[in-house]
Amino acid sequence: NNSIDGREQAHPTRDASALFWRAATAAAVPDADAGADNEEKPSPPLRKPSDSKFHQQKLPAWQPLLTARRRGFRTHRAVLFTASQSVKEAEFNYTNCRDASGISCLEQANKPDYYRWLRPPCVCNMSIHLPDNLTGQVFAYYALTNFYQNHRRYVKSRDDSQLLGWKPGSEEPLQDCSPYRQDPGSGSWILPCGAIANSLFNDTFQLFYHSPTAGADLAVEVPWTSRGISWASDRERKFGRVNNFTGTSKPPNWRLSPEQRSADSFQGDEELIVWMRTAALPSFRKLHRIVLHNASSAADWFKDGLPSGNYTLLVNYAYPVNAFSGTKSFVLTTSSWSGGRNPALGIIYMVVGCLHIVLGALFVVIHIQASKNLRSSNNEDQQTIRPVFL
């Protein structure tokens, strides 16, 4: 009982707390009489987002639901795989080819400065056979294996402003181009600098067709071109024209200067543009030539593609692959509406579609079994319940 003689007993702790609260409130809140003397301070801004549909995430959006109908097998996956398999190609490995005297060009390419000067050049002939006709537009690729263009330092070893023509040689290239940044002999800046440009693929090819109707000794050269092998976006946005190469040096491993390679360097040097687009995987192909089917020399033999039969591939062997234990190949291929031969996408689609069918069937079985168990449990509950009469 807190009262004595009908009166409330005083509590010292409660009274002290009340006095402290009144003092703190009076210090924090100004007196009403002093309101005219003290200016009202603005309240701090609230961090609450504005009440709009954008900030409150109320904008309309499409949210697909993964129902059994949407997870079903789609026929377009098989169509992609079929279109990829319709592409015909022929690949020929020429890593260990030999010249007319039987000397291995691979061993010649490992000699010092051979890659740069080609002294003496190693020319090898390969007899190849196409078992089937390559109908339609035919493309020629070169393929390399075990070449890691995706290495971090290799990918960075370039100066895009040089390739656009902004630094013709008076300004210093980027430090990422080292050690292919400055010519140690003359001291001039290398244009284009970097390891990517310095390692440019420099094998060249000629393809001859031996027509059975023209005689065994007559070989018709297959006409092709390097125009159009690069992406138009790369030519227009990433590469420009350099008007003045004075005071610059070519990359150490180039036989020809940029002006000698193309009068419109670098925008016109499409082989360089293709090579500068680095590959993501260590085994890759790059487009080398496009066969001309409407040329005057192709009117009789190559207007519909490349006919089956015997061919001779003349290779000016220059690119060394022993340093990275790689191989080199020459590839002839056609294309379809889905591009070149790449069955991986169609196979992945079909595997995922089959997996969805299996999972869908499993979910149906689980649903049916769960429904039976639920009905049986409900029946048992109804049988155990009995009416109670009072």
Side-chain angles (χ1 to χ4, degrees):
N1 189 7
N2 294 330
S3 61
I4 301 176
D5 298 335
R7 293 174 297 176
E8 185 178 0
Q9 183 182 7
H11 199 293
T13 306
R14 185 184 302 169
D15 295 342
S17 300
L19 291 174
F20 175 76
W21 175 253
R22 294 193 189 97
T25 306
V29 181
D31 190 15
D33 297 336
D37 298 332
N38 299 329
E39 296 182 358
E40 184 179 357
K41 297 181 180 180
S43 59
L46 298 177
R47 300 181 64 86
K48 179 182 178 181
S50 60
D51 189 13
S52 63
K53 291 185 177 180
F54 177 78
H55 291 87
Q56 299 300 328
Q57 298 183 7
K58 296 180 180 179
L59 293 175
W62 179 63
Q63 299 178 352
L65 299 178
L66 295 179
T67 61
R69 179 184 304 176
R70 296 182 183 274
R71 291 196 302 265
F73 183 79
R74 298 289 188 243
T75 57
H76 72 273
R77 298 158 185 170
V79 172
L80 282 176
F81 180 76
T82 304
S84 177
Q85 292 300 109
S86 65
V87 175
K88 295 182 179 180
E89 67 176 29
E91 182 172 357
F92 310 96
N93 190 321
Y94 68 94
T95 307
N96 298 309
C97 70
R98 299 177 178 271
D99 62 4
S101 60
I103 299 176
S104 173
C105 290
L106 180 63
E107 297 177 359
Q108 293 291 322
N110 290 327
K111 293 182 178 180
D113 289 338
Y114 174 85
Y115 173 71
R116 187 193 315 181
W117 301 114
L118 299 182
R119 296 177 179 172
C122 187
V123 179
C124 62
N125 295 333
M126 285 187 61
S127 297
I128 61 178
H129 177 73
L130 290 181
D132 301 317
N133 295 331
L134 298 182
T135 306
Q137 181 63 61
V138 180
F139 303 90
Y141 290 79
Y142 60 86
L144 295 177
T145 62
N146 208 34
F147 191 106
Y148 287 84
Q149 275 197 318
N150 57 359
H151 191 278
R152 179 181 58 86
R153 293 186 61 186
Y154 184 88
V155 172
K156 293 174 58 179
S157 186
R158 60 187 295 168
D159 190 342
D160 291 324
S161 60
Q162 273 192 343
L163 300 174
L164 283 170
W166 295 351
K167 293 183 180 180
S170 59
E171 300 182 24
E172 297 184 7
L174 295 178
Q175 289 289 344
D176 293 333
C177 288
S178 297
Y180 307 105
R181 181 171 176 259
Q182 190 174 14
D183 188 2
S186 62
S188 57
W189 303 116
I190 296 176
L191 182 67
C193 70
I196 307 178
N198 187 63
S199 60
L200 176 66
F201 185 83
N202 61 348
D203 283 359
T204 59
F205 309 93
Q206 287 179 285
L207 186 64
F208 297 92
Y209 172 59
H210 300 280
S211 174
T213 59
D217 297 334
L218 180 62
V220 182
E221 184 175 1
V222 177
W224 54 29
T225 181
S226 62
R227 294 182 61 86
I229 62 174
S230 62
W231 291 15
S233 58
D234 287 353
R235 294 194 303 270
E236 297 171 0
R237 300 180 182 180
K238 297 182 180 181
F239 293 83
R241 291 183 175 88
V242 180
N243 299 322
N244 185 13
F245 286 90
T246 304
T248 63
S249 298
K250 64 180 181 62
N253 288 338
W254 283 24
R255 294 183 60 241
L256 304 176
S257 64
E259 310 100 305
Q260 293 172 332
R261 287 183 54 86
S262 174
D264 295 330
S265 291
F266 298 107
Q267 197 173 68
D269 193 351
E270 296 199 39
E271 292 183 16
L272 174 65
I273 296 175
V274 171
W275 180 256
M276 295 296 290
R277 175 172 282 276
T278 54
L281 300 176
S283 298
F284 57 86
R285 296 178 180 179
K286 290 184 180 292
L287 184 59
H288 183 65
R289 292 291 186 269
I290 300 176
V291 177
L292 297 175
H293 300 287
N294 55 355
S296 58
S297 59
D300 297 330
W301 292 285
F302 314 119
K303 61 179 179 180
D304 297 326
L306 291 183
S308 60
N310 296 321
Y311 291 79
T312 297
L313 179 64
L314 180 65
V315 181
N316 290 320
Y317 201 106
Y319 203 73
V321 293
N322 260 0
F324 52 90
S325 301
T327 61
K328 300 188 292 185
S329 300
F330 178 78
V331 183
L332 293 172
T333 181
T334 60
S335 64
S336 65
W337 59 268
S338 62
R341 172 171 288 188
N342 186 15
L345 186 60
I347 293 175
I348 292 173
Y349 277 167
M350 288 191 293
V351 170
V352 173
C354 294
L355 181 61
H356 285 174
I357 290 178
V358 173
L359 292 178
L362 180 61
F363 290 156
V364 170
V365 172
I366 293 175
H367 175 72
I368 295 175
Q369 186 64 29
S371 300
K372 291 181 179 179
N373 295 338
L374 181 61
R375 286 195 298 268
S376 61
S377 62
N378 291 336
N379 294 334
E380 291 177 358
D381 292 341
Q382 292 178 1
Q383 292 175 3
T384 56
I385 296 176
R386 294 291 185 269
V388 179
F389 298 97
L390 297 178

